[in-house]
Amino acid sequence: MNKPKYIFVTGGVTSSLGKGIISASLARLLQAQGLNVSIQKLDPYINVDPGTLNPYEHGECYVTEDGAETDLDLGHYERFLSINTSQRNNVTTGKIYQNVIEKERKGEFLGKTVQVIPHITNEIKENIRNLNHKNNLDVIITEIGGTVGDIESLPFLEAVRQVVYEEGPDNSMVIHLTLIPFLSATGELKTKPTQHSVKTLMELGLKADVLVCRTERELSDEIKNKLALFCNVKFDCVIQSIDVETIYDVPIKMMEEGLDKVTLEKLKIKETEPNLDKWKNFLHKLKNPTHQINIGLVGKYIELSDSYKSILESLIHAGTENEVKVNVKSIHSEHIERENIGKHMSDLDGIIVAPGFGQRGLDGKILAVEYARVNKIPFLGICLGMQMAVIEYARNVKKIRYANSTEISEKCKDPVIDLMTSQKEIINMGGTMRLGAWDCELSKNTIAHKVYKKKLISERHRHRYEFNNKYSKTIFDDKFIIAGLNPDTKLVEIIENTDHPWFVGVQFHPEYKSSVYNPHPIFVNFVKASLKKYLNK
Ligand code: GLN
């Protein structure tokens, strides 16, 4: 049995410093040493999972193969590491309490008073160790959400303290990600906030072994020495993390700064020559594009790029594969009207209509689909985007004037998109959509079949509504076709318009499965078609 080593990543001074990217980068470097690594995120909020959170609150909800609705950091883990994560990789306070309360109701605590310590902390420890349920991991990286000092993360940090104590100094370590602000008035980098947050950690019984310091400016040796002395870490363990051009630079930067070296030393793992050729090759292609194309992303959560994180990253992977830079133009669907659509879209080489929920901004999405269809601009509709493509075709080509989705109008005359039968009785909103990996069988002579190069595929889902098969005969014809069906339920998974250079709508989310090493074929091919459109201008 493998006994894994444990790395805990905590955050100091402020949130949004990029713990997820640092964790994923370190994991990538450890993978390059031939180690089997996985990462998990512990989130201190009370939602059982982020599935019920508005993207404005928490960014995109990422979905794993096993159908867990998770924090978007899991997307980074999968994209950096080419591993599949699962519900074990994201645990919230809500989930911990739910488990403990369920056990209490079953009488599992044998009459004891159930308390934060030891019951909640034990549950957290169990969830940390359970990541190694297959006994195949050499290293487990656990990222603690929030900032040290928050009331709500206290039980997590206490559980970390206990795991560090139990595993011992050679088998566990704490990396503290912190901010070194630059004061332009005095022209100085300031270490005091970091000193305070390291002290807060110490009050909780945790010693930072490594400081990863986010900074806009180079840290001098003098500053590093000061941080080392006052924060009780070795000089080599003060790692600078300066702002970089792309998140994909971070693993290489961290290697240059020696984060992998000090980690291996601390955990008594023998260092070998890292293998990062493929990663470096990706970076080289990313930074040396031959062309630039414009892709429009039509959605309603446009103000925050985190809301469509996986789509944006998939476009970077696909652009790199095609050696083009993809400029993403975010277009708010509520701003699109027939009169101004040309202004929004005439410079686009490709159009994506994004996933989403609820009624807001749907008219703009339908107009965007029409614009792509009529002007023969490569089009990719994802989930809600695919549903809007069906409604657009039904209304504008098949002249079914009142074609709609029952998500928008419950009593509409022609519900071409309708609630799945399995969803009709559902009352609870959390974790009850059609989630995770489902099979899809592709039809021959379709773009999808050409792109995937196989007949049976599996993709991740997150939806309640579907194409209403009662309308199959009315809507589909030789130009608007079903390109993929679920083999068991006959649920429509992919539609295509054959009277168009590249028009594909998918009920699933290909963006959840694109990674640096395996860019998703749908995105790669969509970008290729958009490049073709650009070159033919
Ligand atoms: N709201 C739609 C549904 O539930 C689409 C969901 C999505 O785009 N992820 O079916």
Side-chain angles (χ1 to χ4, degrees):
M1 174 178 154
N2 245 8
K3 199 166 154 26
K5 310 261 180 180
Y6 292 87
I7 300 175
F8 296 98
V9 180
T10 58
V13 182
T14 158
S15 59
S16 305
L17 291 181
K19 277 194 297 268
I21 301 291
I22 292 292
S23 304
S25 299
L26 175 60
R28 189 71 205 78
L29 294 177
L30 296 177
Q31 250 188 359
Q33 294 282 329
L35 298 166
N36 223 338
V37 191
S38 190
I39 321 182
Q40 79 182 159
K41 171 114 191 245
L42 303 185
D43 271 315
Y45 52 74
I46 296 172
N47 303 63
V48 172
D49 61 46
T52 51
L53 283 171
N54 185 324
Y56 284 118
E57 287 276 326
H58 205 68
E60 163 189 283
C61 173
Y62 185 78
V63 179
T64 57
E65 283 290 291
D66 65 345
E69 297 177 278
T70 73
D71 187 82
L72 58 78
D73 273 343
L74 272 77
H76 292 308
Y77 307 162
E78 292 206 5
R79 288 187 285 272
F80 274 54
L81 302 178
S82 294
I83 56 166
N84 278 339
T85 56
S86 75
Q87 52 178 327
R88 292 174 197 269
N89 296 71
N90 190 194
V91 181
T92 68
T93 293
K95 184 83 199 148
I96 295 287
Y97 272 79
Q98 191 183 46
N99 291 349
V100 170
I101 291 169
E102 260 169 32
K103 286 180 186 166
E104 185 274 336
R105 292 289 82 184
K106 283 188 197 150
E108 285 185 23
F109 297 115
L110 305 174
K112 288 262 185 244
T113 309
V114 181
Q115 295 178 300
V116 172
I117 296 169
H119 301 98
I120 294 297
T121 44
N122 281 350
E123 183 68 29
I124 296 172
K125 282 161 63 180
E126 215 176 295
N127 273 273
I128 294 171
R129 293 194 163 108
N130 252 344
L131 196 62
N132 191 32
H133 67 290
K134 288 191 189 145
N135 292 329
N136 60 346
L137 296 176
D138 301 307
V139 181
I140 289 179
I141 300 182
T142 301
E143 179 192 341
I144 314 292
T147 308
V148 166
D150 296 345
I151 292 175
E152 52 189 18
S153 57
L154 290 177
F156 286 113
L157 293 170
E158 168 59 15
V160 170
R161 187 195 66 73
Q162 293 183 18
V163 175
V164 169
Y165 168 76
E166 286 162 0
E167 298 296 327
D170 295 348
N171 298 318
S172 62
M173 67 186 285
V174 174
I175 296 179
H176 191 56
L177 178 63
T178 179
L179 175 73
I180 312 293
F182 177 75
L183 290 193
S184 46
T186 53
E188 282 173 305
L189 286 161
K190 292 305 216 181
T191 64
K192 191 73 85 186
T194 299
Q195 295 179 39
H196 282 300
S197 84
V198 169
K199 275 212 179 90
T200 310
L201 257 187
M202 280 182 189
E203 280 165 18
L204 302 170
L206 281 169
K207 183 190 168 308
D209 297 297
V210 173
L211 292 180
V212 175
C213 306
R214 288 298 311 275
T215 172
E216 291 169 23
R217 315 255 167 154
E218 293 280 337
L219 300 184
S220 63
D221 279 0
E222 191 192 345
I223 294 268
K224 285 189 181 176
N225 264 319
K226 195 169 165 187
L227 282 162
L229 182 65
F230 293 131
C231 299
N232 224 8
V233 296
K234 288 186 195 148
F235 178 82
D236 286 350
C237 294
V238 180
I239 306 286
Q240 162 181 290
S241 168
I242 201 156
D243 295 352
V244 283
E245 213 180 302
T246 144
I247 54 169
Y248 299 108
D249 274 330
V250 180
I252 304 296
K253 274 273 165 232
M254 286 301 99
M255 185 171 69
E256 286 165 9
E257 295 291 327
L259 178 61
D260 52 343
K261 195 176 168 46
V262 294
T263 302
L264 293 167
E265 256 167 38
K266 172 77 180 75
L267 296 177
K268 302 268 185 302
I269 302 173
K270 202 168 163 291
E271 191 181 349
T272 58
E273 193 52 45
N275 182 356
L276 285 162
D277 295 349
K278 212 171 160 183
W279 192 275
K280 287 183 182 161
N281 188 27
F282 169 83
L283 269 182
H284 179 76
K285 279 211 282 189
L286 173 68
K287 293 186 177 183
N288 296 284
T290 49
H291 300 282
Q292 291 199 26
I293 58 168
N294 295 326
I295 302 280
L297 175 62
V298 182
K300 67 172 172 179
Y301 307 113
I302 288 303
E303 299 87 347
L304 292 170
S305 61
D306 273 2
S307 308
Y308 301 112
K309 197 78 198 160
S310 294
I311 295 179
L312 297 175
E313 298 305 325
S314 302
L315 285 171
I316 292 176
H317 307 154
T320 305
E321 185 72 13
N322 283 290
E323 300 188 18
V324 293
K325 179 169 187 325
V326 177
N327 297 318
V328 178
K329 184 172 165 191
S330 299
I331 305 170
H332 201 303
S333 48
E334 282 183 298
H335 299 166
I336 301 176
E337 280 163 22
R338 197 168 284 285
E339 297 71 47
N340 66 13
I341 192 157
K343 200 179 93 208
H344 285 299
M345 303 204 151
S346 58
D347 60 338
L348 299 180
D349 306 305
I351 295 173
I352 295 180
V353 173
F357 294 86
Q359 196 172 354
R360 199 161 60 83
L362 289 186
D363 293 340
K365 286 192 171 175
I366 295 173
L367 282 170
V369 177
E370 184 185 349
Y371 190 88
R373 181 177 58 79
V374 173
N375 294 293
K376 310 264 188 244
I377 302 171
F379 168 84
L380 174 59
I382 304 177
C383 206
L384 183 71
M386 172 268 199
Q387 298 174 355
M388 293 305 109
V390 169
I391 293 175
E392 192 278 326
Y393 197 78
R395 285 187 193 169
N396 295 336
V397 180
K398 295 290 167 170
K399 305 295 174 204
I400 309 174
R401 200 166 148 209
Y402 297 105
N404 216 334
S405 161
T406 49
E407 183 177 13
I408 304 160
S409 164
E410 214 180 313
K411 302 239 164 350
C412 64
K413 186 157 164 269
D414 286 300
V416 295
I417 305 292
D418 197 9
L419 203 56
M420 283 179 265
T421 321
S422 55
Q423 290 284 328
K424 291 200 169 144
E425 306 298 319
I426 285 173
I427 298 165
N428 280 350
M429 298 309 272
T432 55
M433 281 188 244
R434 179 175 182 248
L435 291 164
W438 293 84
D439 283 347
C440 165
E441 207 173 284
L442 304 177
S443 322
K444 286 234 167 79
N445 301 321
T446 56
I447 293 178
H449 192 252
K450 204 176 97 202
V451 163
Y452 282 97
K453 298 189 179 74
K454 55 183 172 182
K455 202 162 166 47
L456 193 67
I457 59 161
S458 165
E459 290 283 1
R460 298 184 197 169
H461 295 71
R462 183 173 187 249
H463 66 125
R464 293 187 200 280
Y465 294 80
E466 62 170 322
F467 176 78
N468 183 349
N469 275 327
K470 284 189 201 130
Y471 285 88
S472 276
K473 291 218 166 67
T474 345
I475 291 184
F476 294 113
D477 52 27
D478 56 339
K479 295 200 174 113
F480 199 69
I481 59 166
I482 300 174
L485 273 181
N486 177 285
D488 306 316
T489 60
K490 303 299 171 207
L491 193 138
V492 174
E493 296 278 6
I494 310 178
I495 56 103
E496 288 182 16
N497 188 325
T498 56
D499 189 24
H500 189 284
W502 209 97
F503 188 106
V504 178
V506 290
Q507 184 57 78
F508 49 81
H509 292 264
E511 70 273 22
Y512 294 144
K513 282 178 71 164
S514 185
S515 68
V516 167
Y517 286 178
N518 296 302
H520 196 287
I522 286 272
F523 281 95
V524 172
N525 213 263
F526 167 67
V527 168
K528 194 171 171 190
S530 307
L531 175 63
K532 198 165 159 199
K533 158 114 184 109
Y534 166 83
L535 293 173
N536 288 338
K537 258 185 199 164

